[in-house]
Amino acid sequence: MIRLEELTKRFQQVIAVNDVSLKVAAGEIYGFLGPNGAGKTTTIKMLAGIMRPTSGRILIDGLDLEKHPIEVKQRVGFIPDRPFLYEKLTGLEFMSFMANLYGLNGKGRDKRIQQFLELFELAEWGRELVGSYSHGMKQRLIMSAALLHEPRVFVVDEPLVGLDPKGARLIKRIFSKLKDSSLTVFMSTHTLEIAEELCDRIGIIHKGKLIAEGSYAELQQMAGQEDPRLESIFLHLTGAEAFSTEEIGFIREQN
Amino acid sequence: MKVLTLLAPRLWALRNGFVFGGRRSLTKTGSLFIMAVGFWVVIYAIFYRVLSYFQAVEDFGDLLAYKLLSMVFLTFFGLLIFSNVLVALNTFFLSQDLGTIHATPVSIGELFTARFLETLLESSWMVLLFGVPVLTAYGLVYEASALYYLGLVSVMIPYLILAAAVGIMLTMLFVQIFPAQRTRDILLLLSILVTILLFFLFRFTRPERLVDPNAFSNVITYFRALSTPASPYLPSSWACEAVWPLLKSSTTSSSFYQGFLWMTAMASVVVSAFVAFLIYPEGWSKSQETRRLVVGRFISEGQRPRKGHRSQILALMGKDLKFFFRDNTQWSQLLLIFALIVLYLYNYSVLPLEMARMPTFYLQNLIAFLNVGLAGFVLASIGVRFVFTAISGEGFSFWIMQSAPLTIRRLLWSKFFFYLVPLLVLGLILTIASNELLHVDPLMRWLAPLTIFAMVFGVTALGIGMGAAFPNFKAENLTQVATGFGGLLYMILAMGFIALVIVLEAGPIYTLFMAQVHHHALSHLQWLYIGGSFLLAVLVNAAAIWLPMRYGIRKLAAYEQ
């Protein structure tokens, strides 16, 4: 469903994404992990059609994003890491606007909007301006808008940022549901727990390069770590082992 | 020490703008500097000319210069108070870094001092920019000594401090009554209404009658009114009384008023600090409370489902319309535009054409033709504020457009048509109504609205295209976008375009008009010239639509956040 071929993004002297190639099958949840500044958000932005790659190709549902941007975007639901929305629209208006933008029409449209607002517990806020929403509410509103047009591919940058435990649980349940309905999910996250729990396969990007890829079990094998937790595997593969107690001892020394 | 630390981020940001800004930033700064110098020179030249003229007027000359100085100081004080209130709202209540700063062990006193200095600098530089050429012109016309310039520094410092202290105190009191966000909106609306009122008051007094010798008896009465002193309680009067003797190389009364200004300024700082200690923490806490705003059903009704491309374009236009009327900084400017139309048309209704030496019918049509250019200029000025900023207005939410199945071409054309209609209505009102008031010839009656009709397409396309080529999605407000480098470039291009169309039409219109007046037929060559010129004007209009739109689409499609 998703295919990245030798994807590279260069910002003047800096190579943010370096020759990344990967495939995500239909109905698969793919976790994209990496330390800060590794190139996750740049890759996600290219995948969402917000940024153009310097070289390489992105194919979604067999269509080249560069050649068929509109058709590809019609198939994608995108959630950025920061929920910037139209603050002067109400939640309901925003959903309606997004429905029209994605050409969603027909009888069931309004009902579907209402269902999503209810699912994400936003129905009673539907007639209030988005500007008065909390961070978590905005995040939930974006998520409902991104699912509205029944995308085949869901591209998510940090799905749990700013969500309370209830919101986070809801998102996890929705992801599981999406998996059942054979929707392909490509998500970047720092929450290793969600990657461990939900992802069929995980890719680890470091300094712009895809350094490891596979199922949780395959990554465990690759890392050869005694500790089977994803956190330990991740730290080992990215060469960022946790600091020892001696190394962080200086924090309290001044006092 | 902490005060310096608190001020450092602003200074570093300024420095980093130069260091990391690269060539584009240098070009921008250079252009702004050249503009500022140009502006400075124009202000200086006007005041130098006016003051030299006053000096030549016996008896009244000095009185006029003194009155003008007092008006200058009074205007500065009003502007300073207003600008200090707006800046203080930001620095003390709305600035994004305040949340972090309030969580650190910084005392109210330290924060107040740092923010006071920041407010003072941010709100005073504009008045200084206006003031320096004006006061230099005074110094040079009156051949003042170095003492005058030293005295000016000694007067301006406490004057600016005093205005800042008063502005900050007013802000703190306002925030006690209204939430910070509402205060800004209310002040904005009030400022617009006061500006309109002042405009009307000034215009409807018809100051042009002062130069009419038939109304000379009124002028004498006017001068009598001038010789009455200004209010002794106003700091602007003290500043004027401190500066005026220095122009005449006398220091006695100046020192008294300078001392008075310094003492009042220092006292106002102490009082404003005291007010801050008393009410600022509570005001800050209040400004954090979010306002719940429920939008009624009549406007929150979702857009109806529509098919295909129309659905997207209508969705975009509907969103822009809601944005416009829900943003107080946007819709309130309609009031200004309305006032502008009234004044514009009023000016034509009181035009003393009968007093001119040229034949009235000739003058009527000449003015009607020049009116096309003037209306074009008005449209371009409105265009830079609304049309040019249309793309940047998407702000941080622009990712929605980028990730949606929507071409940049469609986005830009939807914005184009959204702004085209109101600009067309405005342009046609300005030309048709002023033509009616001027009683112009049938030829001009048709030609002027037709030219404006065509021009509005170009002015709108230039705004959308240039706005897309120079977007600023990170600007805190759209005025910042309009006054930026792209806005300046848009104005230059729009003015060039309007001038070119006017020049291309001037010759043929003159030929047609003269043939009509002298009742003679046009030769084939003249028809060819007229046809060619109009064709060129049409081509220029077409280029003004096509080229900027194409450029904007190309640049915005390549834009990466």
Side-chain angles (χ1 to χ4, degrees), chain A residues 142-174:
Chain A
I142 294 190
M143 201 158 279
S144 34
L147 288 168
L148 195 61
H149 64 285
E150 295 183 68
R152 290 188 206 173
V153 173
F154 204 40
V155 178
V156 195
D157 198 359
E158 297 294 348
L160 298 189
V161 170
L163 291 180
D164 59 15
K166 196 179 169 193
R169 199 171 149 207
L170 175 71
I171 300 300
K172 282 187 212 169
R173 281 181 53 202
I174 286 170

Side-chain angles (χ1 to χ4, degrees), chain B residues 206-394:
Chain B
R206 298 181 66 182
E208 69 272 15
R209 285 186 303 186
L210 283 174
V211 291
D212 180 2
N214 298 329
F216 195 68
S217 59
N218 292 339
V219 178
I220 300 290
T221 326
Y222 176 70
F223 280 137
R224 276 205 198 109
L226 275 185
S227 53
T228 51
S231 169
Y233 301 110
L234 279 174
S236 57
S237 308
W238 312 335
C240 186
E241 292 298 336
V243 170
W244 187 252
L246 293 174
L247 282 169
K248 310 271 179 183
S249 299
S250 148
T251 51
T252 2
S253 60
S254 173
S255 316
F256 171 75
Y257 283 105
Q258 279 185 46
F260 204 57
L261 270 171
W262 274 103
M263 278 196 298
T264 321
M266 292 305 111
S268 69
V269 172
V270 174
V271 174
S272 62
F274 182 67
V275 169
F277 275 110
L278 278 183
I279 61 172
Y280 175 61
E282 198 196 329
W284 155 254
S285 164
K286 266 190 177 179
S287 70
Q288 298 311 294
E289 293 160 16
T290 34
R291 182 170 49 108
R292 282 186 70 165
L293 200 155
V294 181
V295 176
R297 193 177 173 79
F298 70 102
I299 33 176
S300 73
E301 195 66 66
Q303 293 154 333
R304 304 318 316 156
R306 286 185 177 85
K307 284 186 180 169
H309 302 167
R310 252 183 75 209
S311 145
Q312 284 188 330
I313 290 173
L314 289 175
L316 290 167
M317 286 182 167
K319 180 208 62 138
D320 284 344
L321 197 68
K322 281 175 187 140
F323 257 59
F324 186 84
F325 285 104
R326 285 179 193 169
D327 188 345
N328 294 341
T329 60
Q330 295 280 314
W331 69 261
S332 55
Q333 298 200 27
L334 287 181
L335 296 173
L336 275 179
I337 295 174
F338 174 73
L340 180 90
I341 297 174
V342 172
L343 286 178
Y344 192 96
L345 297 178
Y346 177 77
N347 283 339
Y348 280 104
S349 72
V350 295
L351 215 57
L353 291 176
E354 64 287 347
M355 285 167 70
R357 285 179 196 152
M358 276 187 260
T360 310
F361 76 92
Y362 182 80
L363 202 61
Q364 279 165 336
N365 289 291
L366 178 71
I367 291 175
F369 182 65
L370 292 177
N371 179 39
V372 174
L374 191 61
F377 175 71
V378 169
L379 291 172
S381 311
I382 292 171
V384 75
R385 178 62 189 82
F386 293 102
V387 188
F388 176 78
T389 57
I391 295 292
S392 299
E394 292 290 326

Side-chain angles (χ1 to χ4, degrees), chain B residues 487-510:
Chain B
L488 179 72
L489 203 61
Y490 162 74
M491 274 313 274
I492 293 170
L493 287 173
M495 298 314 294
F497 159 62
I498 293 162
L500 192 58
V501 174
I502 295 288
V503 167
L504 283 171
E505 285 191 359
I509 287 175
Y510 182 77

Side-chain angles (χ1 to χ4, degrees), chain A residues 8-19:
Chain A
T8 299
K9 180 70 189 179
R10 189 186 281 270
F11 297 107
Q12 286 158 346
Q13 302 305 314
V14 182
I15 304 176
V17 176
N18 193 358
D19 201 24

